[in-house]
């Protein structure tokens, strides 16, 4: 058994696949495997992936669309690593990631999840407005911390944390294969129970473990491009109500020839980190929607803060899917308003704390920023190598 499996699900990712495969193979610890599953017959990614001549790389391409969930599940079933991470097709892995994983897991042998802080890369092809910086990396070498899984889950559903900052089977986390198999056996053989796989994995992992390890040092970089899942969901919600959008959602997540989805992300109306994880939690627990009144009110407050424009537009729609959200008593409405005030204050203070940390890292020469207008020819791999060199010196 290899030590670590990097799994790369690909759908029309030819612009980024060379970078992400290179970042996975260029690990300082060679005891890895890299599995690439291409979920499209007309994707040039297959030919680009074949250019790599490395026995640790395995490439799969089947007939017909598996969909996002099917592609993720297929990769998990074929992985042999003791540790697993699914890496987005426009994301990347730092060269010292597996070495850090070994060190952290040896020091914390009873834990089965390692989560790292996030670093960011903005691809020029991103359909979102250009960020000020093309690459952001904090070289933070403080000690790893043990965090409570249940506390993070509650905070994520309440809007005080984004689920992507915690455990998930996606870029940013390493998860023991044994834990994944154990959770799947408890969920009727399915590791994913909610249409958005990273959200689904987050809820399942947080619900089936007591704690996890958090590394302040980023081990991955998160890419922003037009191929991200969030962009696809935003496009779906903007076109809500049309048969075309329903079909797009079905094929994107479940693949061709699949049955209707039992749960539509964001109820087909909203894009909301907190609401997604709330829906996934309700689905996992097989509860009636809104059975937990406090969790519902917290998620509702977070949803109105995260997407006020979508909320207002949805309230004006005649064919609402949110009647049960609006049908709350006056007292509950007051509670939601108070929660929103508290949540806004918390987010402001958290933002201030992040800026203070960033200034401290910058003054110590450990915050790497590359502006969009810098004219630098460095690729993301070149920047990763530069960070790796400085990391080695500091260690």
């Amino acid at each position: 058994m290899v030590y670590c499996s990097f799994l790369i699900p690909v759908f029309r990712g030819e612009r980024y696949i060379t970078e992400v495969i290179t970042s996975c193979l260029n690990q300082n610890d060679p005891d890895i495997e890299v599995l690439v599953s291409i979920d499209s017959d007309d994707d040039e990614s297959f030919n680009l992936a074949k250019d790599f001549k490395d026995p640790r790389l395995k490439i799969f391409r089947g007939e017909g669309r598996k969909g996002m969930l099917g592609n993720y599940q297929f990769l998990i079933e074929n992985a042999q690593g003791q540790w697993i991470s699914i890496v987005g097709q426009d994301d990347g892995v730092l060269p010292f990631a597996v070495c850090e994983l070994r060190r952290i897991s040896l020091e914390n042998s009873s834990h089965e999840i390692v989560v790292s802080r996030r670093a960011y890369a903005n691809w020029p092809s991103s359909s979102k407005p250009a960020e000020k910086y093309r690459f952001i990396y904090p070289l933070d070498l403080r000690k790893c911390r043990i965090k409570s899984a249940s506390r993070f889950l509650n905070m994520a559903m309440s809007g005080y944390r984004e689920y992507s900052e915690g455990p998930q089977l996606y870029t940013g986390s390493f998860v023991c294969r044994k834990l994944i198999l154990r959770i799947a056996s408890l969920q009727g053989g399915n590791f994913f129970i909610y249409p958005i796989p990273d959200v689904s994995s987050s809820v399942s992992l947080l619900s089936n473990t007591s704690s996890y390890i958090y590394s302040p040092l980023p081990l991955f970089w998160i890419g922003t491009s037009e191929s991200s899942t969030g962009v696809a969901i935003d496009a779906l919600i903007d076109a809500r109500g049309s048969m075309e959008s329903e079909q797009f959602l079905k094929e994107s997540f479940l693949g061709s020839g699949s049955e209707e989805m039992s749960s539509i992300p964001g109820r087909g109306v909203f894009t909301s980190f907190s609401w997604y994880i709330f829906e996934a939690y309700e689905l996992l627990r097989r509860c009636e929607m809104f059975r937990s009144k406090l969790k519902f009110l917290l998620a509702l407050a977070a949803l109105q803060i995260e997407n006020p424009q979508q909320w207002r537009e949805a309230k004006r729609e005649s064919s609402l899917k949110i009647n049960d959200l609006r049908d709350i008593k006056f007292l509950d409405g007051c509670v939601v308003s108070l929660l929103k005030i508290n949540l806004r204050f918390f987010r402001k203070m958290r933002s201030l704390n992040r800026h203070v940390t960033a200034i401290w890292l910058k003054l110590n020469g450990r915050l790497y920023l590359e502006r969009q207008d810098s004219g630098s020819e460095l690729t993301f791999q070149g920047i990763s190598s530069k960070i790796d060199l400085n990391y080695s010196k500091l260690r």
Side-chain angles (χ1 to χ4, degrees):
M1 179 183 288
V2 297
Y3 184 69
C4 182
S5 296
F6 289 112
L7 314 181
I8 308 174
V10 178
F11 177 68
R12 296 175 182 169
E14 54 267 11
R15 292 189 182 183
Y16 323 104
I17 193 168
T18 300
E19 288 273 359
V20 64
I21 292 177
T22 302
S23 74
C24 292
L25 291 174
N26 281 358
Q27 290 299 301
N28 299 336
D29 187 326
D31 190 10
I32 63 168
E33 66 173 4
V34 180
L35 276 57
V36 178
S37 178
I38 300 170
D39 194 27
S40 175
D41 294 333
D42 59 348
D43 200 325
E44 184 62 24
S45 301
F46 182 72
N47 293 325
L48 293 170
K50 285 199 306 181
D51 289 341
F52 289 86
K53 308 302 180 184
D54 194 311
R56 299 172 298 170
L57 174 65
K58 300 175 185 176
I59 307 168
F60 303 92
R61 183 171 69 172
E63 296 182 1
R65 283 217 58 194
K66 299 184 186 71
M68 194 178 296
L69 287 175
N71 210 15
Y72 280 42
Q73 189 62 43
F74 172 80
L75 284 166
I76 292 171
E77 291 169 357
N78 284 275
Q80 299 298 317
Q82 177 183 342
W83 290 86
I84 291 177
S85 181
I86 294 180
V87 184
Q89 64 185 13
D90 56 355
D91 300 336
V93 188
L94 275 297
F96 45 78
V98 177
C99 290
E100 276 292 303
L101 173 64
R102 277 193 189 273
R103 184 186 66 79
I104 294 169
S105 60
L106 284 172
E107 293 176 357
N108 305 273
S109 57
S110 62
H111 289 82
E112 297 178 295
I113 305 173
V114 175
V115 179
S116 81
R117 187 177 182 173
R118 309 188 112 199
Y120 298 93
N122 291 295
W123 290 94
S125 59
S126 173
S127 60
K128 293 185 177 182
E131 300 289 343
K132 184 177 181 180
Y133 296 104
R134 182 168 177 250
F135 195 90
I136 305 170
Y137 187 88
L139 189 58
D140 192 337
L141 298 176
R142 287 177 292 177
K143 290 184 178 180
C144 293
R145 300 191 292 273
I146 298 175
K147 293 201 171 188
S148 166
S150 60
R151 185 171 185 270
F152 183 86
L153 178 59
N154 284 324
M155 294 192 76
M157 279 192 289
S158 305
Y160 292 95
R161 288 283 189 272
E162 289 185 13
Y163 72 85
S164 55
E165 296 175 294
Q168 56 178 335
L169 191 53
Y170 198 62
T171 312
S173 297
F174 289 104
V175 182
C176 266
R177 184 166 170 267
K178 290 181 180 178
L179 176 59
I180 295 170
L181 297 176
R182 190 162 69 246
I183 291 173
S185 68
L186 294 172
Q187 298 178 173
N190 298 315
F191 181 72
F192 301 107
I193 48 86
Y194 181 70
I196 306 177
D198 55 340
V199 177
S200 182
S201 67
S202 179
V203 171
S204 293
L205 292 170
L206 290 166
S207 299
N208 288 280
T209 190
S210 60
S211 57
Y212 61 93
I213 304 300
Y214 175 79
S215 166
L217 176 70
L219 305 179
F220 302 80
W221 47 262
I222 312 300
T224 300
S225 75
E226 84 284 353
S227 73
S228 69
T229 304
V231 172
I233 295 175
D234 283 339
L236 166 73
I237 291 175
D238 288 342
R240 63 179 176 271
S242 70
M243 291 300 295
E244 183 180 351
S245 66
E246 292 289 332
Q247 186 66 23
F248 169 77
L249 176 67
K250 176 182 172 184
E251 292 187 358
S252 295
F253 290 102
L254 299 184
S256 54
S258 58
E259 299 298 324
E260 286 190 17
M261 303 181 69
S262 59
S263 175
I264 298 177
R267 318 195 75 199
V269 180
F270 298 108
T271 301
S272 167
F273 293 122
S274 303
W275 197 259
Y276 288 157
I277 202 164
F278 175 71
E279 285 184 329
Y281 178 79
E282 292 288 328
L283 193 61
L284 176 67
R285 295 302 181 190
R286 300 294 189 267
C287 300
E288 293 181 9
M289 189 58 98
F290 313 143
R291 182 175 175 182
S292 171
K293 194 66 170 289
L294 178 59
K295 285 188 173 64
F296 160 59
L297 294 175
L298 286 165
L300 182 63
L303 178 134
Q304 292 188 38
I305 289 177
E306 288 172 1
N307 245 316
Q309 183 176 353
Q310 283 186 359
W311 174 260
R312 288 193 295 270
E313 289 176 358
K315 286 176 71 175
R316 290 195 295 266
E317 291 281 342
S318 57
S319 57
L320 285 177
K321 297 182 181 179
I322 58 165
N323 289 330
D324 43 0
L325 300 187
R326 297 175 64 193
D327 187 21
I328 56 177
K329 297 178 182 177
F330 174 74
L331 180 61
D332 291 338
C334 292
V335 172
V336 170
S337 297
L338 290 172
L339 290 170
K340 285 167 64 177
I341 293 171
N342 182 57
L343 189 53
R344 287 184 190 279
F345 176 76
F346 178 87
R347 291 188 174 191
K348 289 288 185 184
M349 295 304 296
R350 190 164 179 241
S351 177
L352 177 62
N353 181 61
R354 283 179 168 175
H355 281 84
V356 170
T357 302
I359 292 170
W360 178 80
L361 288 167
K362 183 67 175 176
L363 292 174
N364 285 275
R366 296 187 186 181
L367 181 63
Y368 294 84
L369 302 171
E370 185 193 3
R371 296 182 66 94
Q372 292 282 12
D373 55 1
S374 64
S376 172
E377 295 297 324
L378 279 177
T379 63
F380 293 150
Q381 289 305 321
I383 297 170
S384 295
S385 299
K386 178 182 176 182
I387 292 169
D388 183 36
L389 180 63
N390 286 275
Y391 159 83
S392 300
K393 291 178 179 177
L394 290 168
R395 279 296 189 200

